[in-house]
Amino acid sequence: MATSTETSLDAQLIAVTLRVNGTKHALLLDTRVTLLDALREHLGLTGTKKGCDHGACGACTVLADNQRILSCLTLAAMCEGREITTIEGLANGEELHPMQAAFIAHDGFQCGYCTSGQIMSAVALLNEGHTTSQEEIREFMSGNLCRCGAYSNIVAAIWSVVEGEKDATF
């Protein structure tokens, strides 16, 4: 017979269907599993990084219905019925998303650990329309930390996509 302590620690499993990068995934998860852990440990999508696990660094940023969220603070079960996009879902086959290409062109990364979260946040920034100036970009990207200090290159990469949008359709 299990003690009350053992019973309270038993996992409660639920069926969750996640739509990630256009593909549906039926999973049986502990109710406490975060979206970050579901992506990395259950779906093998390791591009989304676990930085602080407290929502303070932005390394785990993904898009849910084209809005940025911190996947370390979001339970996987809360994402049922939402379209989740990770860094792996931005490219179109071998063709990089314009933001990915801009980060490469402008050296918007050094160690690369924060890069996926930075790029996902930058894509959302474009969707949100917070790109009227480089100062506005800095402000709305402030939740994504770069320990290497590549901020000027990150802003340059984002700004180049903003400027390119005036001349092209992505």
Side-chain angles (χ1 to χ4, degrees):
M1 183 170 167
T3 66
S4 62
T5 304
E6 291 175 88
T7 304
S8 67
L9 295 178
D10 288 345
Q12 292 182 331
L13 300 179
I14 57 170
V16 177
T17 301
L18 295 178
R19 185 168 174 83
V20 181
N21 301 328
T23 303
K24 285 186 180 181
H25 303 274
L27 302 169
L28 190 60
L29 300 173
D30 184 313
T31 56
R32 302 166 290 186
V33 169
T34 64
L35 177 60
L36 174 60
D37 289 337
L39 293 170
R40 292 182 58 81
E41 297 172 15
H42 296 274
L43 299 179
L45 297 171
T46 58
T48 303
K49 303 300 182 200
K50 184 179 277 201
C52 66
D53 220 13
H54 295 288
C57 73
C60 69
T61 303
V62 298
L63 304 181
D65 298 330
N66 290 317
Q67 296 181 324
R68 55 183 150 174
I69 63 168
L70 299 172
S71 62
C72 74
L73 296 181
T74 306
L75 294 174
M78 295 169 59
C79 294
E80 182 104 34
R82 299 183 79 184
E83 177 62 41
I84 306 301
T85 307
T86 68
I87 192 73
E88 292 92 344
L90 282 185
N92 183 9
E94 295 295 314
E95 182 183 341
L96 294 178
H97 183 280
M99 193 63 71
Q100 291 171 308
F103 265 67
I104 292 169
H106 292 273
D107 198 23
F109 54 89
Q110 287 182 26
C111 80
Y113 199 82
C114 71
T115 306
S116 63
Q118 296 277 1
I119 290 172
M120 297 308 293
S121 197
V123 169
L125 192 73
L126 294 174
N127 295 337
E128 296 163 4
H130 295 299
T131 56
T132 60
S133 68
Q134 291 185 26
E135 292 75 25
E136 184 177 40
I137 291 170
R138 280 187 198 88
E139 176 66 26
F140 282 91
M141 288 294 291
S142 64
N144 290 81
L145 303 180
C146 173
R147 290 177 178 98
C148 301
Y151 295 114
S152 60
N153 295 359
I154 290 167
V155 172
I158 297 167
W159 189 247
S160 75
V161 174
V162 170
E163 290 292 296
E165 280 189 339
K166 295 175 183 173
D167 303 322
T169 305
F170 296 114

